[in-house]
Amino acid sequence: MKREASGRKQRTTKLGYNERHARSGITAPLPDIETFPNQFKGYEITIEIPEYTAICPKTNLPDFGTVTVHYMPDQECLELKSLKMYIHAYRNLGIFYENAVNRILQDVVKACRPVWARVTGTFAARGGLRSVIEAKYP
């Protein structure tokens, strides 16, 4: 175990991943997702974003995938241009798949307070493995 600057012990795995890698990108500043007033009730919205890209915080290699946001709006709907700018902000951000999907869900819920929401990340194969991550609200 190594010690962080704070003196706290930092757990490191055999592959060299540590807490700094695990937390990378979770609290990074990102553009706000804007909304507009919803006019109807009881319907669902699915938004596919096939050009998601970010950076692996350990290797600094690019990650690619499709992020799908599926939700039932309540009072507000997500404004698509601001959502696009929000997602594009991940391009140079070091963040793991799991953290990105959960962060996107958190930010979507914060922006529009949906009845329910689901964010799915389907990430491109790398090294013979493909990951699909899903986070749900509530």
Side-chain angles (χ1 to χ4, degrees):
M1 282 196 194
K2 294 181 180 179
R3 289 205 179 265
E4 293 181 349
S6 66
R8 198 175 103 198
K9 286 185 180 179
Q10 180 174 302
R11 190 181 62 149
T12 304
T13 68
K14 289 180 184 179
L15 296 176
Y17 288 94
N18 60 41
E19 196 68 28
R20 181 179 55 80
H21 297 122
R23 290 185 181 157
S24 182
I26 292 175
T27 59
L30 293 169
D32 289 335
I33 303 171
E34 296 179 27
T35 63
F36 62 90
N38 182 27
Q39 304 301 304
F40 299 95
K41 295 286 181 191
Y43 68 102
E44 301 175 15
I45 298 173
T46 301
I47 304 164
E48 283 194 10
I49 307 157
E51 297 177 347
Y52 171 87
T53 175
I55 304 294
C56 173
K58 171 90 168 48
T59 65
N60 290 320
L61 293 172
D63 291 322
F64 302 95
T66 297
V67 171
T68 303
V69 177
H70 188 92
Y71 73 105
M72 180 177 281
D74 190 13
Q75 300 296 313
E76 302 287 323
C77 293
L78 300 175
E79 193 278 321
L80 294 180
K81 183 177 180 185
S82 68
L83 180 63
K84 178 173 77 171
M85 301 310 289
Y86 167 86
I87 293 293
H88 284 317
Y90 279 82
R91 181 170 289 149
N92 295 314
L93 183 63
I95 190 166
F96 287 130
Y97 300 152
E98 297 83 356
N99 293 345
V101 169
N102 281 284
R103 169 84 191 263
I104 293 166
L105 177 66
Q106 265 183 349
D107 291 344
V108 163
V109 168
K110 180 180 168 189
C112 73
R113 309 303 300 172
V115 175
W116 56 263
R118 181 175 65 241
V119 174
T120 306
T122 305
F123 298 98
R126 203 164 38 148
L129 299 173
R130 185 172 141 260
S131 294
V132 177
I133 314 296
E134 185 173 87
K136 298 176 184 178
Y137 167 84

